[in-house]
Amino acid sequence: MKAMQYISVGEAPKVVDIPTPEPRGEEVLVKVTAAGACHSDELVMSFPEGQLAALGVRLPLTLGHEGAGVVETVGPAAQGVEVGQPVVIYGPWGCGVCATCAGGDEQYCERAAELAIRPPGLGAPGAMAEYVLVDHPRHLVPLDGLDPVAAAPLTDAGLTPYHAIKPVLPLLVPGSTAVVIGAGGLGHLGIQILRELSSCQVVALDLGEEKLAFATEVGAHHAFASDESAVAKIREVTGGHGAAAVFDFVGADPTCALAAQVVRAQGEIIIVGIGGGTIPVGFFTLPYNVRVRAPYWGSLPELHEVLALARRGAVHVETERFSLDDAPTIYERMHARTLRGRAVVVP
Ligand code: NAD
Ligand code: ZN
Ligand code: ZN
């Protein structure tokens, strides 16, 4: 089968021919119909060898951690899914047995590292291929009428903002403001989820006119350039108070510094982007009682909720389609910040 693999450190990924895997035990083989490209792919490809090894990533790695497809064959012990069933793949696999997994938050599994369980596309072979092996049927969610191309990105670009936003909803009362920094793959869904689940005002920050126009198209009330001038603009549209919640989908030092300047007392900063930025927490560094969190991906029950939102048209993914052969060019476009919404590989 064809697969797009990251083969050697520092080099662009390549489309290669590799053997089609066969499911054993409880594994399920999925014929891929769509695979989204995440900025985290680019991040992984920027790591030096030592850091990759520390994360349990071995090369060559088939990329793609946002997958949709159709069940092709099932291992002898796999139960609960049927051949031919259209599904999306839940990516942050855990052991399924520890107390955290039992509580539904597999993405924070207590034993994943010890058991060398890695998400597909971020350690295990991913979905940017004609077929992908899924370790257990519980990691498949029926598409139930959703278009696979529009649904594949919901497994990360939809699920991650949803998991970041849901616990903050009590702060997002009428009259409050949420700031979304970075209106890309995750951010454009974050804006829509905020609009759907709360009545807060949504302010988006990004770089460049096109990105700002895109942010308002998908529902932001205001969109401002992500620079020092944003601080005064956010003060102005919040009556001088600042934002109850700031979702940083870039997570670099400059955006973290902005977040700290625009959050209001008792508010929350949620660092979702993996740009290496940090925010000091302590007296007189932030307004009183501000919380700062860095959540990871989302839970399986939350993925069901995100798909339910999409089924009734409350959120939609803006996609740009690429063939598997053209997939390596996605990361050049991502780097140049010229993608609109999510790039999706359609094998
Ligand atoms: P993306 O490339 O689709 O979008 C990033 C957006 O940020 C673009 O619109 C870009 O123009 C904008 N941007 C860049 N620099 C900016 C700045 N200084 N100020 C404001 N906007 C800026 O990326 P994505 O796939 O949406 O991923 C976003 C981030 O989230 C990445 O760092 C990725 O690694 C991370 N991520 C984290 C998790 C998690 O579990 N926490 C999950 C998925 C992705
Ligand atoms: Zn991702
Ligand atoms: Zn576990």
Side-chain angles (χ1 to χ4, degrees), residues 39-40 156 184-186 206 211 226 249 272 274 295 297 337 342:
H39 211 112
S40 301
D156 176 20
L186 272 65
D206 206 307
K211 294 279 185 180
S226 178
F249 293 108
V272 180
I274 315 177
W297 218 326
R337 290 193 294 104
R342 204 58 151 178

Side-chain angles (χ1 to χ4, degrees), residues 94-102 105-106 108-112 115 117 138:
C95 73
V97 176
C98 73
T100 302
C101 283
D105 279 316
E106 265 197 58
Y108 301 128
C109 173
E110 295 161 31
R111 300 194 63 203
L115 298 173
I117 301 171
R138 76 171 183 282

Side-chain angles (χ1 to χ4, degrees), residues 24 36 40 47 54 66 80 119 127 133 135 170 196 207 222 232 249-250 273-274 287 297 314 324 336-337 339 343 346:
R24 293 168 308 173
S40 301
F47 287 154
E66 292 181 345
L133 208 52
D135 68 340
E196 179 60 22
L207 302 170
H222 302 282
F249 293 108
V250 178
I274 315 177
W297 218 326
L324 199 44
R337 290 193 294 104
L339 287 170
V346 184

Side-chain angles (χ1 to χ4, degrees), residues 116-129:
I117 301 171
R118 298 287 308 159
L122 294 166
M128 287 192 185

